[in-house]
Amino acid sequence: MPQISSASHSGAQNHTVLKRSLGLWAIVGLGLGYMTPTTVFDTFGIVSDETNGVVPLAYLVALVAMIFTAISYGRMTRIYPSAGSAYTYTSQTIHPSLGFLVGWTSLLDYLLLPLVNALLIRIYMESFFPDVPAWIWVVGYVLAITALNLWSMNSTSKINGILVVFEVVLIGVFIVLAWNALTHGDGNGSAFTSAPLFHDGVDASAVISGATVVCFSFIGFDAITMYTEEAKDTNTVPKAIVLALIIGGAIFFAAAWFGQSVFPTLDGFENTDDTLPEMALKVGGEFFKILFTSAAFAATVASSLSSHASVSRMIYVMGRNGAGPVSRFFSFVHPKHRTPSFAVVFVGAVSMLAIPFTLEFISSMINFGALIAFTFVNLTVVVLFVFRRKEFRTPRQVVTNIVLPVVGMAFTGILWANLNIDALTYGVIWLGIGIACLLVMTRGFRRPINVSMREEDAVELDGESVTA
């Protein structure tokens, strides 16, 4: 299978490319690691209060909303098997300059997620060791995550897989303990009740607002497209997108269902901003609280590995398609480890900002870029299949090429309407910086941006991919 090659940092004739080492379940695991399944317990109190006690319904609405966008991602990654995701799709179907801006705005979220994870680890460790300077935890943690991503994508995916399995097993244990508590009359007294989905006092607008909060728990299925150039078979990537979304959605829904059944109200909770420790304590005691907190720690590490890996691939592709020393720097692939090493190091450097910044400040900047990416991936389906290929003459084509992506954009529009004002403000500022960069790069739009898949130039030589 032909590979997508990169520009060489050294300018040599033969170029190193990313190594195709990821199978279907390795990619699914990376997506699940990015999504952080234990987050359902961290945000349970916030969402339960927002929705008046129907957290599972909020997750169900969010899952339905994301399915439409996931379908669009799956279709576009078949057409353009590049690691650039929304950046590549927009560049190829609409215009390279617009694609750059989509990629630029997406970078805001993708770069901040590894930073958020480093911040969370800093907070965890500070709570255990308050006398140790916070910067030590950030530096040590970021260096470890960066080193793993530099070493091998295969090793990164294996470690991520172990961590994901650990947290999912602990979530399963929570469900068993919750079931036991229900059989003893706690909470609703039974798991077989409609109360977690509907009861008196539930308002549709409140559910949508809650769905907006939990919807971003699903961010990660889209990042799977970043591993397209490292998949053993690119045809597995669309399957991995859907599988990660469905599996993640099922975990979120089941955990939320049993959590809401045992805790129909927040009475008795001391801290409703992060309910995970107390939920574990109440269903399983002190020992299970320690285990479940360690699962949350493992989930954060898994998210760090996968989010760090995905954003470095996006930076690599954007660098590969650019020109000049900055682009050559980011398009470099290590000849031995076959990882985009300079892009990986850059993401690590950005993550060091977890030392001075607070979680509240960084969190307020997230979600703008993700919504930009979701909107344009759905739009590219319409542009490609309707306006360019003219595939809208049969009922099936109308449904797949118009209805599904338009519904996806409509759901994204609902999320836009509920976007935090700080995220919108910082997102617009970031977009303005991107426009300024684009004007400089294109000399006022007089010089086009090069966007090439480069697959046509790649050949296989003794099992290694090089550029002819």
Side-chain angles (χ1 to χ4, degrees), residues 73-96:
Y73 268 104
R75 295 190 69 190
M76 294 307 292
T77 196
R78 289 183 185 276
I79 304 297
Y80 301 111
S82 168
S85 192
Y87 156 72
T88 297
Y89 311 151
T90 306
S91 297
Q92 294 284 348
T93 59
I94 303 177
H95 195 278

Side-chain angles (χ1 to χ4, degrees), residues 55-85:
V55 176
L57 181 59
Y59 272 100
L60 192 60
V61 171
L63 176 60
V64 172
M66 289 294 99
I67 283 175
F68 291 95
T69 297
I71 292 171
S72 293
Y73 268 104
R75 295 190 69 190
M76 294 307 292
T77 196
R78 289 183 185 276
I79 304 297
Y80 301 111
S82 168
S85 192

Side-chain angles (χ1 to χ4, degrees), residues 7-335:
S8 172
H9 178 69
S10 64
Q13 184 176 2
N14 289 341
H15 306 313
T16 307
V17 296
L18 301 177
K19 184 178 182 180
R20 291 195 177 275
S21 60
L22 301 178
L24 172 64
W25 290 107
I27 299 174
V28 170
L30 286 165
L32 291 174
Y34 202 121
M35 291 164 70
T36 320
T38 56
T39 193
V40 62
F41 301 98
D42 290 312
T43 60
F44 179 85
I46 297 171
V47 181
S48 184
D49 183 60
E50 182 78 28
T51 62
N52 193 24
V54 286
V55 176
L57 181 59
Y59 272 100
L60 192 60
V61 171
L63 176 60
V64 172
M66 289 294 99
I67 283 175
F68 291 95
T69 297
I71 292 171
S72 293
Y73 268 104
R75 295 190 69 190
M76 294 307 292
T77 196
R78 289 183 185 276
I79 304 297
Y80 301 111
S82 168
S85 192
Y87 156 72
T88 297
Y89 311 151
T90 306
S91 297
Q92 294 284 348
T93 59
I94 303 177
H95 195 278
S97 294
L98 183 59
F100 172 83
L101 292 178
V102 170
W104 177 268
T105 51
S106 298
L107 273 178
L108 180 63
D109 280 9
Y110 286 127
L111 275 172
L112 289 179
L113 284 170
L115 173 55
V116 166
N117 288 320
L119 264 167
L120 289 172
I121 293 297
R122 189 195 82 189
I123 293 170
Y124 288 154
M125 299 309 292
E126 281 181 314
S127 66
F128 285 111
F129 307 99
D131 296 330
V132 178
W135 67 266
I136 291 179
W137 304 119
V138 175
V139 172
Y141 180 73
V142 171
L143 286 177
I145 295 297
T146 303
L148 284 170
N149 272 283
L150 281 173
W151 180 256
S152 162
M153 190 64 233
N154 193 38
S155 298
T156 298
S157 69
K158 287 180 178 178
I159 295 173
N160 171 81
I162 293 171
L163 295 172
V164 168
V165 168
F166 175 65
E167 61 180 298
V168 171
V169 167
L170 266 294
I171 290 174
V173 174
F174 173 89
I175 291 174
V176 171
L177 292 172
W179 180 288
N180 181 64
L182 290 169
T183 59
H184 286 81
D186 291 350
N188 290 327
S190 173
F192 303 103
T193 171
S194 61
L197 289 180
F198 180 79
H199 56 257
D200 291 339
V202 175
D203 180 71
S205 61
V207 173
I208 292 174
S209 181
T212 303
V213 175
V214 305
C215 201
F216 299 105
S217 300
F218 290 94
I219 293 178
F221 77 87
D222 59 311
I224 283 176
T225 59
M226 302 294 183
Y227 309 120
T228 302
E229 296 181 32
E230 290 160 287
K232 294 177 181 178
D233 182 355
T234 56
N235 290 325
T236 63
V237 176
K239 298 176 184 177
I241 292 172
V242 176
L243 281 172
L245 182 61
I246 298 301
I247 294 172
I251 293 172
F252 285 138
F253 182 78
W257 182 279
F258 280 92
Q260 194 74 83
S261 296
V262 177
F263 306 109
T265 70
L266 298 176
D267 295 341
F269 280 88
E270 295 181 6
N271 181 12
T272 57
D273 289 337
D274 184 0
T275 46
L276 183 145
E278 287 188 74
M279 291 177 75
L281 177 65
K282 291 177 184 296
V283 300
E286 190 67 38
F287 180 68
F288 182 68
K289 174 187 173 182
I290 295 172
L291 282 178
F292 211 47
T293 303
S294 66
F297 190 95
T300 303
V301 176
S303 182
S304 292
L305 288 170
S306 54
S307 60
H308 195 127
S310 64
V311 67
S312 61
R313 269 67 184 170
M314 185 172 186
I315 294 172
Y316 155 72
V317 171
M318 294 183 74
R320 184 178 68 191
N321 288 328
V326 175
S327 292
R328 285 196 298 272
F329 178 85
F330 286 122
S331 64
F332 174 75
V333 176
H334 195 281

